Amino acid sequence: MSTTVKAQKREQKENASLRQKGFIPAVVYGYKMDTQAVAVSEKELLKTIREVGRNGVLKLDVDGTSVNVVMNDYQMNVLKGEMIHVDFLAINMKEELEVSVQVHLVGTSVGVSEGGMIQQPNRELMITVKPSDIPENIDVDVSGLGIGDILTVADIRDKTKYTIINEDDFALAIVSAPRVEEEPEESVAAVEEKPAE
């Protein structure tokens, strides 16, 4: 289900004043349209993202023209926790597209139960999917991983309904051995030699 976000055309020099008024400078490009500079209400966009998800399909209403889009990229001001720019990709709902989705590790691995540490070197996968089928994330079961095991794309490629673009050796989870704390060296008491009588 798509939700409509209103956008207004903007001039490049307006960026600072737009942000002060609660708008995010953005661009929209892609299917059947030229690149266009727009601005959207930050409050309205964040509310919509909460409803449809980071990868959800939105309808962008640009001065009365409705376009199906996904959020292709965005920039954040980490200190203020606010969006400062958004790229919208106009899409054809009937054609597959490449999107980045988060990897969500589920289950408790055997190795972790034995004291190992689980690491997630890559937190996103690139997949090919129709816009209406874009998942918010992909669950990856790590319960079978023992200490020293590595879970790669090759291990999940046939278990997911999505076409994964990443290479087979792209690592998703690693269970490393527990760190062994070095034993403190025993202090050797200095033996005082008795003076010769």
Side-chain angles (χ1 to χ4, degrees), residues 8-24:
Q8 60 189 48
K9 293 178 183 175
R10 68 174 168 90
E11 298 294 328
Q12 198 71 31
K13 60 187 178 184
E14 298 178 314
N15 286 359
S17 62
L18 282 168
R19 288 192 190 100
Q20 289 172 354
K21 295 173 186 173
F23 286 88
I24 306 170

Side-chain angles (χ1 to χ4, degrees), residues 83-103:
M83 283 189 180
I84 55 176
H85 193 274
V86 181
D87 286 8
F88 292 108
L89 176 66
I91 57 172
N92 178 351
M93 293 297 287
K94 295 177 183 175
E95 289 183 1
E96 291 189 332
L97 68 155
E98 293 182 7
V99 293
S100 176
V101 295
Q102 289 195 335
V103 174

Side-chain angles (χ1 to χ4, degrees), residues 178-189:
R179 289 185 181 165
V180 179
E181 291 185 16
E182 291 183 13
E183 294 287 329
E185 290 183 17
E186 291 182 17
S187 54
V188 179

